Amino acid sequence: MSAVMVKVRFIQTVLALYLLLASAISHAVNNPDQITVYFPAFQGPEHLGLNVSTVLSLQLAQTTRRMPWPNNPDKHDFGEGIIRWSAEPLDSYAVQGLVEAAQRKNLLAQIVVAGTVRRFAGNFVVELDVVLPEYKVAPSMNCASLADTKCDYRTKNFEVWKIGTGSEKIEVGLPKRYFSISSIVLKPDVVNRYKAASGLTIRESLNGGKVLGETGDRLRFVEFNKSMPGAPTKVISGNIQGYVTLPELSDAVSEFSDMVGGILQLFRGDWQWAISSFTQVLENPNTRIPLRVDALLYRGMARFQNGGNGLDDITTAASLAPYDVTVTKYLAMALIANGINSDQIKQMLHDKALLFARDDDWYNKVHRYLNHLL
């Protein structure tokens, strides 16, 4: 082996150790931004759509935390996770309609969950779509010169995976900005209970008690008790404060709260809980291949961001979707983060070159980055 090759391999080994150790150093996550999930009114018979969306929003709310508890030695602060919804139907439930609704100045939601409750073969089935509207990359403060790109006024983008600094920096964003969740077949008792009821029942105590009223258009979450039967949640709706329990909507386990919860955690920099959520998605037998691929990419990226190594996850995603350009980008990022030989990464990208446009900016930037390492 020549002295030059020995030197190159030594540099690459040192770089790999540096990248992994640098990410492993405990840094407090401080998210100064609010991340908002928007539930427009679900389409469905009578009050059923609104009540189902309320139950799902409560499920999702329980995936959030401001900081680790009871121990938080690294002083993490994941910021505000806000869930908002509307009792009024939208003009359009097409993807663009959902994006436009989310990007209203008085909302600026990063995640949209839309649903339709339909009768099918004697059952009521919930079909869910998730949209992740695109905003100007943080710091998103002035969009006057970018008429086609909305601002959400965030100062950080935890959902963007970056390697390097300054001009020598490469990054990848979200795998997809639109996807569907497996249909949820509602239990008959849920249909009977919520089709006519105008809201979820609010009771006075953690274990039940007197009925105080029902949830309305405005709802604030005060306290979660996930380990108790029915996961009673303390809420404030209008001038009523009390507890709402979460019914089991379906006999089958949906990947909804794990997948959307994981994305919400990722937006807020809560890597540990995001890894756990995407693991639940991957262990769910109902999860379809496209969503499984996304969960692998998300979990792999979160593992890198948390100081671990997500190469196995991203390599598995690449085996499931070998001709997906986004998966290829993630694979390149993972190989770089592991300090894999630059020539090997270039060869991988060369083999996938047909997936990219001839003058693709990201493809060229990665090659410049790899050349800079040598």
Side-chain angles (χ1 to χ4, degrees), residues 142-195:
N142 182 8
C143 289
S145 61
L146 296 169
D148 295 332
T149 307
K150 301 290 184 179
C151 289
D152 61 0
Y153 303 100
R154 283 189 288 159
T155 60
K156 294 185 178 181
N157 287 111
F158 288 99
E159 75 278 11
V160 178
W161 182 16
K162 302 176 183 178
I163 293 178
T165 58
S167 60
E168 301 299 334
K169 178 174 63 179
I170 54 174
E171 61 187 47
V172 290
L174 301 170
K176 291 187 183 72
R177 292 202 172 267
Y178 165 79
F179 60 90
S180 296
I181 299 289
S182 299
S183 299
I184 301 171
V185 180
L186 296 178
K187 288 183 174 181
D189 65 307
V190 169
V191 175
N192 295 334
R193 192 188 327 174
Y194 292 130
K195 188 175 180 183

Side-chain angles (χ1 to χ4, degrees), residues 45-66:
E46 301 180 48
H47 295 287
L48 188 57
L50 179 59
N51 286 327
V52 169
S53 71
T54 304
V55 173
L56 291 176
S57 70
L58 283 167
Q59 287 182 354
L60 185 61
Q62 300 203 41
T63 69
T64 67
R65 57 178 180 171
R66 180 69 189 248

Side-chain angles (χ1 to χ4, degrees), residues 13 33 56 59 70 77-78 81 95 103 125 142 155 212 220 235 284 287 303 322 331 359 367 370 374:
T13 302
D33 303 311
L56 291 176
Q59 287 182 354
D77 184 346
F78 306 123
V95 173
Q103 291 181 333
V125 177
N142 182 8
T155 60
L212 302 178
R220 284 183 57 201
V235 300
N284 187 337
T287 302
R303 281 176 164 163
L331 180 58
D359 295 320
H367 277 78
L370 294 172
L374 297 177

Side-chain angles (χ1 to χ4, degrees), residues 202-205 210 212-213 220 222-223 233-244:
I202 302 176
R203 297 184 179 272
E204 65 178 351
S205 71
K210 179 182 175 183
L212 302 178
R220 284 183 57 201
V222 179
E223 170 191 314
T233 302
K234 191 173 186 179
V235 300
I236 299 175
S237 184
N239 59 356
I240 301 174
Q241 179 170 295
Y243 290 86
V244 171

Side-chain angles (χ1 to χ4, degrees), residues 5 9 17 50 80 98 114 127 148 165 184 227 262 280 293 324 340:
M5 289 183 66
R9 290 195 177 182
L17 289 172
L50 179 59
E80 294 284 349
L98 296 173
E127 298 173 347
D148 295 332
T165 58
I184 301 171
S227 61
Q280 293 296 318
V293 170
D324 186 297
I340 302 299

